[in-house]
Structures are given as C-alpha cells and as structure tokens.
C-alpha cells in the first residue's frame, strides 16, 4: 500500500499546519448487495497520489495548510459488526482526542461512521452530522442487526445528533416517516430541484456555529461518475453540483470526516479518482475559508 496521502510529505516543515490523520478501515461485514468495499481505502489512497495538490480554482495548495499521517488500517478479525465497531471505538478513545485530532476515515462500509460520530459527540455535545448518500440509512434494524450500514444514521440520531442528508433518493416507508416526524433530521431530496448554492445556504443556517462531522457515502454521487459502489442508484449528485455545494458551505467548524462504500471496479480507476478528488475539494475549500478569515 502507498505510504502517503496525496503524495505529500507526512510531516510539517513549518508549524501551524493542520495534521490530518488518515484512517483506513477496509471493513465489509454487513454489505447487502455488491461487494468489494474492503478494497476501497487502498484504492482511494493510491488514486490520491495521482491528483495535483494545487487547486487552481482557489489558487491554494494542500501542503500549504496541512499534512497527512497515514495510520495502519483497522481490520480486525472479529465476529459480528457490533464487536468490530466497539473495537474502533476503543481504538479512537485510546489514541486520539476529539478536540484536537482531525481524522479522515476511509471505508469500508458505512456502518463504521457510528463509532466516529460517537467519538466526536463525546466532546461536542451539539455535533451536527452532514451525510451525503443515496440511501437514508435510517432503518432501526436491518437483516437482524441494528449496526448494519442501513441503520448507521439511526444510531447517530440516537446519540442525539442533528442530521442533514443530501443526495438521498432511496428511502423505505419507515425511514420516510422518521424523516417527516423527526425535528432533528433535514433531508434534501433531488426532486426538490434546489441549486447547490440554495442547499449550502440552508445547511449553513441549520448548522450555524455548531461543530460538523461530514460522512460521505460514495453512492450519493451519480453512478455515471461513481460506478464503483455496491448499491448504485441513478439520479445522484454530479461532480459540478457537489463542487459548488462544498465551496459555498463555509465557514464551518469541520471536526472530522469519512468517505465510505467505495468498491473499486476491475480495470477502471474512475471511482477512486473521483473519491480522492471529492476529498481534495472538501479539504481545499475548508482551508480556503481560513485564508479568507
Ligand atoms: Mn450509506
């Protein structure tokens, strides 16, 4: 596996650069359809080395603002998703401080978001979770487990988080009722035809000054640019839509993030390249706000 993220030095030559932990979690335990997300983290890291660290739209380079520490992957051989998530929880608690450590986690299936949100929620009581996804992931239980990828946002809701969902176009009736009845869930559906700027404005109004955790499920994007997912849904977010949305979302206090559910296809590096580029855009627009302020 590559030892660098975005092919950048894993140390800071100057002070005041942000340290970003990159945590690969190639876990595939409760995946319900297509498989291969266990190969997601490695593919994203590899694709990231092919991406220029300079963002010509914002005229900034990643290495001016941050450096990446690539962590060994977490992939323990345990029985049952619940035990694995507990393992991640313990690992985070023993090695990191939520107020100081920005972790960019690479999945693996979406269930791994739960221990990460729990980790940050302990420090930030008013944490908001922004979810980009095709599926609401709000089921209370799926195939006998409350810790399935299909339930991860319901678990985050139970922690007391406010949730904002974007890209959602696949929802069961139970989830639909929860979305309609929970004051702590705001879902932007594609058929509302809001522009990315409008959605960004509404998100900012909800989040206000509260800390934010961003969870990005690859299938939130349109399968034409993100074919490497287990459960593709047509009608997803375009790269242009995402790029405008993310560039207008700031200023925000982003405390951690993940990118999940990428399942690389054989002989096609499109999906991991798009994934790495999306992570890149989140980070450059995040650092660009610092430059302006
Ligand atoms: Mn998901």
């Amino acid at each position: 596996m590559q030892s660098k993220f975005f092919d950048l030095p894993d140390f800071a030559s100057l002070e005041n650069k942000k340290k970003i932990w990159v945590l690969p979690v190639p876990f595939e335990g409760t995946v319900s359809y297509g498989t291969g997300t266990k190969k997601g983290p490695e593919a994203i890291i590899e694709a990231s080395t092919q991406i220029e660290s300079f963002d010509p739209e914002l005229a900034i380079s990643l290495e001016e603002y941050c450096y990446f520490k690539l962590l060994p992957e977490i992939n323990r051989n345990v029985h049952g998703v619940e035990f694995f998530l507990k393992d991640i929880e313990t690992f985070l608690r023993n090695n990191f401080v939520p107020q100081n450590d920005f972790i960019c986690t690479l999945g693996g299936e979406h269930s791994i978001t739960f221990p990460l949100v729990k980790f940050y929620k302990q420090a930030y009581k008013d944490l908001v979770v922004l979810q980009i996804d095709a599926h609401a992931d709000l089921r209370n239980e799926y195939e006998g487990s409350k810790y399935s990828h299909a339930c991860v946002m319901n678990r985050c809701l139970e922690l007391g988080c406010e949730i904002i969902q974007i890209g959602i176009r696949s929802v069961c009736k139970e989830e639909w009722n929860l979305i309609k009845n929970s004051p702590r869930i705001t879902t932007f559906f594609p058929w509302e035809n809001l522009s990315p700027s409008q959605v960004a404005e509404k998100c900012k109004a909800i989040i206000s000054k509260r800390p934010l955790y961003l969870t990005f499920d690859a299938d939130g994007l349109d399968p034409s640019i993100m074919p490497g997912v287990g459960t593709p849904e047509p009608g997803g977010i375009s790269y242009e839509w995402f790029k405008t949305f993310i560039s207008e979302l700031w200023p925000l206090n982003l405390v951690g993030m993940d990118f999940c559910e990428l399942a690389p296809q054989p002989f096609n590096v499109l999906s991991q390249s798009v994934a790495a580029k999306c992570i890149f855009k989140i980070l450059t627009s995040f650092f660009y706000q610092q430059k302006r302020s």
Side-chain angles (χ1 to χ4, degrees), residues 190-260:
W191 47 86
E192 292 166 351
N193 285 321
L194 294 171
S195 72
S197 309
Q198 287 173 314
V199 176
E201 278 311 309
K202 286 173 188 283
C203 286
K204 276 199 281 194
I206 295 167
I207 299 162
S208 186
K209 302 235 180 295
R210 292 184 285 176
L212 182 76
Y213 183 88
L214 173 62
T215 178
F216 199 141
D217 185 320
D219 62 30
L221 296 170
D222 192 75
S224 58
I225 56 163
M226 183 53 75
V229 293
T231 41
E233 284 283 341
I237 295 171
S238 73
Y239 182 68
E240 290 303 318
W241 196 102
F242 164 75
K243 203 159 59 71
T244 308
F245 168 73
I246 207 73
S247 67
E248 295 186 11
L249 193 59
W250 317 94
L252 281 180
N253 177 21
L254 182 66
V255 296
M257 64 174 283
D258 65 59
F259 194 102
C260 292

Side-chain angles (χ1 to χ4, degrees), residues 160 183 188 277 283:
F188 295 98
K277 194 76 187 208
L283 294 176

Side-chain angles (χ1 to χ4, degrees), residues 109-111 113 131-137 149-153 168 215-220 231 260-261:
E109 61 167 61
H110 209 172
S111 50
T113 297
Q131 173 199 8
I132 300 174
D133 205 325
H135 314 91
D137 293 351
H149 62 95
C151 311
V152 60
M153 298 317 290
I168 311 299
T215 178
F216 199 141
D217 185 320
D219 62 30
T231 41
C260 292
E261 296 282 352

